[in-house]
Amino acid sequence: MSNFIPPSATQPTETARPVEAMPRPKRWSIHFSMRFKLIIAFLVVALIPLGAMVYINYLSTKTMLIGVANRSLSVGAEKVIADIETFFETNKQTVQEVATWPEVISYLSRPVTADLSPDEAEKQRIRESLQRLRGQDENAPSFALLNRQGQNVVDTSGQIDLDESNQNYFIEPSRTGQLYVSPVIFEPAKEEAFLYISSPVINTLGQIVGVVRMQYKAEVLQQLIAQHNGLAGEQSFAILLDDKRIQLANGGNPDQRFTSVVLLSETAIKELQTEQRLPNKLTTDLFVSMPGFQAGLDNPTAPYFTIQLDETDDQLALAAIEKLQVQQFSWNVVFVQPQEAFLSPLQEQIFTAGVILLAIIIVVFILAFNISRPLSNPLVFLADVAQKVAGGALGLQAPEGSRDEIGVVARAVNSLANQLRDLSGNLDQYIAERTRALGTLVRSLETSTQIGRQITTILEIDELLRYVVNRIQIEFNFYYTHIYLVDQATGDLVMAEGSGEVGRRLKAQGHRLKAGEGIVGTVASSNEFFLSNDVSKVLNFVSNPLLPDTRSELALPLRKGDRVVGVLDIQDNKLNRFTSADVSLMQSIANQTAVAIDNARLLTETQNALKEVQRLTRRLTREGWDQISEEISVSGYRFSSGAIVPISPDTDVWLPPMKEAVTKQQLIKQTESDNGGNSETELAVPLILRGEVIGVLSVKREEITAWADEEVAAIEAVANQVPLALENARLSKEQEKTIVQLKEVDRLKSEFLTSMSHELRTPLNSIIGFADVILQGIDGEVSDMALNDVRLIYNSGQHLLTLINDILDLSKIEAGEMELVREPLDIEEMVSEVMNSASVLKKNKPVEIITNIEEDLPAIYADKLRINQILLNLVSNAVKFTDKGIVTIKAEISSNNPSQALISVMDQGIGIPKNMLHTVFDRFRQVDASRKRKAEGSGLGLAICKQLVEMHGGMIEVTSVEGKGSNFYFTIPFVDAVVSDYEPIGVAAGN
């Protein structure tokens, strides 16, 4: 069949249209000559890779320098931490050693009364021993002994008889019997800061008789920090922050000591000054603004961040943060280095690259100017020939002497002209053939639709298969059609149904094939169709004696998703019987048949499962009541003459009518008369629950009277309700036991997870840290395969650490150990910080994050860290489930409660199904719980958000439309709405 050419190509007077696949030239380029374009092309081709190479080299060098600097800063911070830990460990051992001195124990054990005063000589000896231990260094610590009343009785500084009983360094060791390390305490009277380490003194009877106290000037921390200046590189220095983010030492600027790196509220400053954690200065003197510092501290997953050393200066610096645990306090060591100190090699590199690039531009321009001339002239001549051919001069031929691309274009122009001349009346015949083929296809599609519609109504597999094979053979006039199904136990293909007498005989013989055997077995194992329009040329074709006239064969897999449930095999007695359209049509029918087969199987399995559930229900009911019978001491009750009498299990109350009612499981009536002429009538009804008899109800009356239908119906109604009431009572008892057990398990789980915080995080942090060291290449080069494995370890460790943090946060909330540090917060500033942190979440996705903050919103009263955690989690989810679109963070006054702010995070993502909306805040629940889900996660983020919002006294909800997006919104109270002496339940104010 000849190629189809549009009729317009045969009209010599009509202007030829451009080929749609050819790119249209830019409007600005049509005014320039080919030679000029070639010169520009030479320059662009030469300069783009060079410029890209220079830029990539610049980025890689900068990245390398930053990476080396980051690691050096981290190593420096770790060295500082090691020295500080050594300092504390040495001094703690010293204090504990002094507390075990026999003379100290003996001295503090003696009572102090008017009649018996301590021996001054003994006191002097102890003072001298402590003085020798102290040494002569001016920064050496002072030692003191405090008796059990907290009175200073021995002090190397000479100040004795002071009452220190109200100090934490005396109270805590006396109360707990453990060593105590104080925070840095600022004493306004001395205008100095001190650090205390104290230990209880315990006598041989295990009694606490006093406290040994060591006092250090806080200047010692500054010396420890300052001696590491330059450790991580030129101009690098360390900063030591306490748990309130107050600078205890600053190697770069010692004058910044006892200032906060985060902006504190007036209330927080007053509290810290009351606790002697800050000097009594103005608020402006207690804060040092270093932009970027607070965001870096608040990000628990990134040990490195960039800060601005002075908000009035644009100088940036890198910082690495490491945690330092000092007894009950968690401090931070931050190592800092200005960028100009480690990026200086880039300046020389940029200058050298600029000079080289300029020289290359000059050379390329000269070469392009000389090369473009022999290229452009032949193209101009060829364009003129092509234009004339397009105008109708079909006899014109372009010269084909050249063998390059110009010669190829010339031959193509000549070939096009020849094809236009050769085009004849074949066009009408081609259109008629395509019309007939289209009609056949439409009829086939209608037949396929009818078959698909009919098989959805057949629920019995044999009837379904019989209908499919017979309908396909009749409608499409095939020689033979049959279906094989996969035996789930062996994997063999069993002939399940075939058309005509041949199909009946093969099915009766139990005909089956191994997977991979023959054409049908190959289709089943490969999950791909097989088509042969001449089976005599197929190597693995085995002729069936019952089907001697087979010439063409089409075998298609019955697919249910990615699973093959069988094979549809169609044979015909004509060569070249099947077309590509037949393959598509038959595959569609095969897929519909596979779905129908699976549905029929599922229906059968469901019915069988229902029967099994009913059997198990009866069994469980019987076992439950057997257990109740063993536990209770009363097997029934008798009501007679207005009195209720319990019946013990050993009493024979099973009278003949009752036994017969249980045996036959039906109502029994019986009338009896004794020798004295007395008679009674009995009615026994079995108590049946889920097909099992759990008891019997018997009613007697001492007269022979026929039971009325109304009486029998009433007694049967009571007998039907009694088993349900008894079962509800039994299940209620079991539920109470289960609730008690679950509460105990939940409590133990929360306690275990809370206590395992250090044990879980410490080894995991070590794994992540060492993996990072290997990835940075600090320990030397490793193979690409090993590097990929280490990268997987690092990523998996980070994912596991996030999961552990989520579980621990949830456990702390459930155990009541989560504390909120609430303060007035500006919503716009808070959202701006979240935007900065959330920008990295987008990666390369076409997602835009915008804000919509109502003007003049009052400040909210909340814990900044937890509110950031809530917002980041919601924004992260919005970005994760949005492939393209906008994520909006909106804040306004709640219309339902004007005393609260309403904060919303709206996305244009995949949305949440309506039936899943009520589960999104459940623990360990995800909307897409399949193994093929795109988004990973623990299912704890939204549960933690809900708990944190409710701890703040707010509420969180979600609305969503599947396929259009979701809106998570929550409320937080304003500052003015919180009464000063009121704290919401479950919230601790914090220090």
Side-chain angles (χ1 to χ4, degrees):
M1 185 178 292
S2 62
N3 293 330
F4 175 76
I5 300 176
S8 59
T10 64
Q11 305 298 327
T13 59
E14 185 179 347
T15 303
R17 292 177 295 175
V19 180
E20 293 182 358
M22 181 178 295
R24 185 182 298 274
K26 301 296 183 181
R27 181 177 296 275
W28 58 266
S29 67
I30 61 177
H31 303 291
F32 299 104
S33 65
M34 180 60 68
R35 186 176 185 185
F36 179 82
K37 293 178 183 178
L38 288 173
I39 294 174
I40 296 300
F42 272 108
L43 291 174
V44 170
V45 170
L47 294 181
I48 286 180
L50 287 174
M53 184 171 59
V54 171
Y55 182 70
I56 292 172
N57 184 52
Y58 167 82
L59 290 180
S60 62
T61 303
K62 184 177 180 180
T63 302
M64 180 195 67
L65 292 175
I66 292 175
V68 172
N70 280 336
R71 187 55 195 159
S72 299
L73 293 173
S74 182
V75 171
E78 292 173 354
K79 180 62 172 63
V80 172
I81 288 175
D83 289 350
I84 294 178
E85 288 178 341
T86 301
F87 166 79
F88 276 105
E89 288 301 321
T90 302
N91 285 285
K92 287 193 290 186
Q93 291 176 5
T94 300
V95 172
Q96 290 176 324
E97 180 182 351
V98 172
T100 60
W101 285 0
E103 58 268 33
V104 171
I105 297 174
S106 174
Y107 182 77
L108 292 177
S109 298
R110 297 177 60 182
V112 180
T113 65
D115 299 328
L116 182 61
S117 60
D119 187 359
E120 290 297 324
E122 184 178 2
K123 179 189 296 187
Q124 183 61 28
R125 287 194 299 273
I126 293 175
R127 183 184 296 111
E128 291 174 355
S129 298
L130 292 174
Q131 190 64 42
R132 287 193 298 272
L133 182 64
R134 176 181 183 274
Q136 300 301 321
D137 187 356
E138 64 179 6
N139 291 319
S142 66
F143 291 87
L145 300 183
L146 312 179
N147 61 18
R148 58 171 60 92
Q149 287 78 30
Q151 187 177 14
N152 187 329
V153 295
V154 176
D155 196 330
T156 57
S157 64
Q159 297 180 357
I160 62 174
D161 297 329
L162 297 177
D163 184 7
E164 300 180 22
S165 61
N166 61 341
Q167 300 295 333
N168 283 337
Y169 56 73
F170 171 78
I171 294 173
E172 291 301 318
S174 300
R175 180 178 63 85
T176 64
Q178 302 292 328
L179 183 135
Y180 172 76
V181 178
S182 75
V184 174
I185 303 300
F186 195 92
E187 297 186 5
K190 298 180 181 180
E191 294 186 353
E192 278 192 283
F194 296 94
L195 178 69
Y196 295 94
I197 303 175
S198 58
S199 175
V201 179
I202 303 174
N203 62 16
T204 56
L205 299 178
Q207 300 172 336
I208 298 176
V209 298
V211 172
V212 175
R213 183 260 291 160
M214 174 190 286
Q215 180 191 60
Y216 259 106
K217 293 182 179 180
E219 182 66 27
V220 70
L221 296 177
Q222 177 63 26
Q223 292 180 354
L224 283 173
I225 294 299
Q227 69 185 10
H228 295 88
N229 285 355
L231 178 64
E234 184 181 355
Q235 301 180 30
S236 64
F237 61 90
I239 300 174
L240 178 63
L241 304 175
D242 69 2
D243 55 329
K244 301 298 182 182
R245 299 183 178 175
I246 298 170
Q247 297 187 75
L248 302 179
N250 188 315
N253 191 351
D255 295 335
Q256 292 181 358
R257 288 189 303 157
F258 301 108
T259 59
S260 174
V261 297
V262 298
L263 184 60
L264 300 175
S265 64
E266 290 289 345
T267 303
I269 291 175
K270 292 299 182 184
E271 290 179 357
L272 291 173
Q273 288 176 337
T274 301
E275 296 172 4
Q276 296 181 301
R277 303 287 291 275
L278 283 176
N280 292 324
K281 295 182 180 180
L282 296 176
T283 302
T284 55
D285 295 334
L286 296 175
F287 169 67
V288 176
S289 177
M290 286 188 278
F293 212 130
Q294 182 172 353
L297 293 175
D298 291 339
N299 188 350
T301 61
Y304 311 117
F305 53 96
T306 303
I307 64 173
Q308 194 172 329
L309 293 176
D310 188 350
E311 66 178 352
T312 62
D313 189 1
D314 293 334
Q315 183 181 7
L316 297 179
L318 290 183
I321 184 172
E322 295 288 343
K323 295 289 185 183
L324 169 63
Q325 191 68 33
V326 180
Q327 206 70 3
Q328 69 273 27
F329 303 108
S330 179
W331 292 358
N332 290 319
V333 173
V334 182
F335 227 96
V336 181
Q337 185 181 23
Q339 284 191 358
E340 63 180 11
F342 60 84
L343 293 181
S344 56
L346 281 178
Q347 303 299 327
E348 182 178 349
Q349 178 181 341
I350 293 173
F351 176 79
T352 303
V355 173
I356 295 175
L357 196 61
L358 180 59
I360 292 175
I361 290 174
I362 296 173
V363 173
V364 170
F365 179 82
I366 295 174
L367 292 175
F369 184 83
N370 293 312
I371 294 175
S372 60
R373 179 180 299 173
L375 293 176
S376 59
N377 290 342
L379 287 174
V380 173
F381 177 77
L382 183 60
D384 181 62
V385 173
Q387 187 174 8
K388 292 178 180 179
V389 170
L394 301 180
L396 188 63
Q397 295 288 306
E400 302 179 0
S402 174
R403 296 186 179 182
D404 56 10
E405 287 76 9
I406 297 175
V408 172
V409 174
R411 286 188 290 275
V413 170
N414 294 337
S415 175
L416 178 61
N418 293 333
Q419 290 183 22
L420 290 174
R421 286 196 303 269
D422 295 339
L423 186 62
S424 61
N426 292 334
L427 183 59
D428 294 337
Q429 181 182 356
Y430 175 80
I431 294 175
E433 291 177 355
R434 298 303 298 171
T435 302
R436 287 193 297 272
L438 183 59
T440 303
L441 178 60
V442 169
R443 290 192 296 274
S444 299
L445 289 175
E446 290 176 351
T447 302
S448 172
T449 303
Q450 294 173 1
I451 294 174
R453 188 164 47 243
Q454 182 63 29
I455 63 178
T456 58
T457 64
I458 303 175
L459 300 179
E460 202 277 320
I461 293 182
D462 290 339
E463 181 184 352
L464 170 68
L465 298 179
R466 192 177 308 113
Y467 171 80
V468 171
V469 297
N470 291 331
R471 186 69 185 272
I472 290 176
Q473 183 186 20
I474 294 172
E475 292 293 340
F476 298 97
N477 194 26
F478 290 131
Y479 174 51
Y480 177 70
T481 304
H482 60 180
I483 292 178
Y484 288 83
L485 294 182
V486 177
D487 187 340
Q488 300 298 329
T490 63
D492 294 347
L493 291 162
V494 180
M495 195 279 190
E497 193 61 58
S499 59
E501 178 63 21
V502 175
R504 187 190 63 76
R505 293 176 60 181
L506 289 176
K507 182 178 179 181
Q509 294 172 4
H511 181 59
R512 63 171 53 213
L513 298 171
K514 295 288 184 182
E517 179 182 351
I519 293 174
V520 173
T522 302
V523 170
S525 60
S526 65
N527 195 11
E528 298 291 340
F529 75 89
F530 170 85
L531 170 63
S532 174
N533 278 317
D534 187 357
V535 294
S536 62
K537 299 180 181 179
V538 179
L539 295 178
N540 62 343
F541 174 75
V542 179
S543 177
N544 191 324
L546 299 177
L547 301 168
D549 297 330
T550 298
R551 297 292 179 267
S552 302
E553 184 171 0
L554 172 62
L556 309 111
L558 301 178
R559 297 192 186 111
K560 177 62 170 62
D562 295 332
R563 181 167 56 91
V564 176
V565 301
V567 175
L568 170 63
D569 187 48
I570 304 172
Q571 301 179 22
D572 201 83
N573 53 9
K574 302 183 186 69
L575 294 174
N576 300 317
R577 173 63 173 82
F578 301 105
T579 65
S580 58
D582 293 330
V583 174
S584 301
L585 181 63
M586 292 300 115
Q587 185 63 68
S588 174
I589 296 176
N591 292 341
Q592 296 178 58
T593 304
V595 173
I597 291 172
D598 202 56
N599 290 340
R601 284 178 174 172
L602 288 176
L603 177 62
T604 303
E605 292 173 358
T606 302
Q607 292 173 341
N608 294 335
L610 179 59
K611 294 178 181 178
E612 180 66 14
V613 168
Q614 292 173 344
R615 185 187 67 81
L616 292 176
T617 301
R618 292 195 299 271
R619 175 183 171 186
L620 292 174
T621 301
R622 183 72 270 157
E623 291 176 353
W625 279 99
D626 289 343
Q627 183 178 359
I628 288 293
S629 300
E630 295 175 358
E631 295 177 354
I632 61 177
S633 59
V634 177
S635 62
Y637 292 91
R638 175 185 290 127
F639 178 79
S640 179
S641 301
I644 299 176
V645 180
I647 302 173
S648 61
D650 56 353
T651 302
D652 185 12
V653 298
W654 294 95
L655 301 178
M658 299 173 68
K659 292 181 179 179
E660 186 178 356
V662 171
T663 302
K664 295 183 178 180
Q665 294 191 13
Q666 65 182 24
L667 183 145
I668 300 297
K669 300 177 185 178
Q670 181 173 314
T671 302
E672 296 182 350
S673 299
D674 57 18
N675 296 329
N678 299 320
S679 62
E680 60 183 8
T681 302
E682 182 176 357
L683 186 66
V685 184
L687 303 179
I688 301 176
L689 179 67
R690 303 189 191 97
E692 292 290 327
V693 178
I694 64 172
V696 64
L697 172 63
S698 176
V699 181
K700 290 184 180 181
R701 61 186 179 193
E702 296 178 351
E703 57 184 8
I704 301 177
T705 305
W707 293 92
D709 292 341
E710 294 81 2
E711 294 175 323
V712 174
I715 293 173
E716 286 183 328
V718 172
N720 290 334
Q721 295 300 319
V722 169
L724 298 177
L726 292 175
E727 179 69 359
N728 289 338
R730 183 182 72 83
L731 293 176
S732 178
K733 282 286 186 182
E734 291 185 358
Q735 188 177 21
E736 290 176 0
K737 295 179 182 178
T738 303
I739 290 173
V740 172
Q741 294 173 352
L742 290 177
K743 286 183 178 179
E744 180 64 16
V745 170
D746 191 62
R747 183 185 65 79
L748 293 175
K749 178 266 296 179
S750 298
E751 291 181 356
F752 171 76
L753 290 177
T754 302
S755 63
M756 287 296 290
S757 173
H758 179 74
E759 286 76 5
L760 287 171
R761 288 175 174 172
T762 299
L764 189 56
N765 283 328
S766 298
I767 293 172
I768 295 173
F770 285 118
D772 186 39
V773 169
I774 297 174
L775 290 174
Q776 295 290 342
I778 295 176
D779 290 343
E781 294 184 358
V782 296
S783 65
D784 292 341
M785 184 178 296
L787 195 63
N788 184 60
D789 292 341
V790 173
R791 187 175 292 107
L792 292 175
I793 293 172
Y794 179 81
N795 294 336
S796 299
Q798 291 286 7
H799 178 70
L800 182 57
L801 182 60
T802 302
L803 177 60
I804 290 173
N805 288 335
D806 286 345
I807 294 176
L808 292 175
D809 281 348
L810 190 61
S811 299
K812 286 182 179 180
I813 293 173
E814 293 177 349
E817 297 180 3
M818 176 69 75
E819 295 185 352
L820 299 182
V821 182
R822 302 180 71 177
E823 58 181 325
L825 297 175
D826 183 80
I827 296 180
E828 187 170 359
E829 292 182 1
M830 180 188 65
V831 172
S832 178
E833 293 179 6
V834 171
M835 286 281 290
N836 293 335
S837 301
S839 60
V840 300
L841 299 174
K842 299 186 298 181
K843 297 182 179 178
N844 295 325
K845 297 174 68 174
V847 177
E848 181 182 2
I849 303 177
I850 64 174
T851 61
N852 183 6
I853 311 298
E854 184 176 323
E855 294 183 358
D856 301 326
L857 276 180
I860 60 174
Y861 190 60
D863 185 316
K864 184 174 184 179
L865 177 63
R866 298 306 173 185
I867 293 298
N868 281 346
Q869 182 178 353
I870 295 169
L871 273 175
L872 276 175
N873 194 295
L874 296 180
V875 174
S876 175
N877 280 350
V879 174
K880 184 190 303 181
F881 294 104
T882 301
D883 293 330
K884 181 174 67 174
I886 298 174
V887 174
T888 304
I889 305 175
K890 183 179 181 181
E892 58 187 337
I893 297 176
S894 174
S895 58
N896 295 330
N897 188 352
S899 65
Q900 292 184 332
L902 178 66
I903 303 176
S904 309
V905 177
M906 297 170 283
D907 64 65
Q908 298 176 345
I910 61 175
I912 303 171
K914 187 176 181 180
N915 63 336
M916 298 296 293
L917 282 174
H918 66 285
T919 66
V920 295
F921 295 108
D922 292 347
R923 292 178 294 177
F924 302 106
R925 290 293 297 271
Q926 293 185 334
V927 174
D928 183 6
S930 65
R931 294 185 178 180
K932 297 182 180 179
R933 64 178 185 266
K934 295 181 179 180
E936 298 182 353
S938 63
L940 289 176
L942 291 178
I944 294 174
C945 288
K946 185 176 187 296
Q947 297 276 7
L948 292 176
V949 169
E950 291 176 351
M951 288 177 68
H952 280 85
M955 51 77 73
I956 185 169
E957 297 290 344
V958 60
T959 59
S960 182
V961 177
E962 191 171 2
K964 293 185 178 180
S966 304
N967 178 19
F968 286 85
Y969 56 92
F970 62 94
T971 59
I972 295 293
F974 292 123
V975 172
D976 296 340
V978 180
V979 183
S980 60
D981 59 350
Y982 169 74
E983 193 70 18
I985 295 176
V987 179
N991 293 328

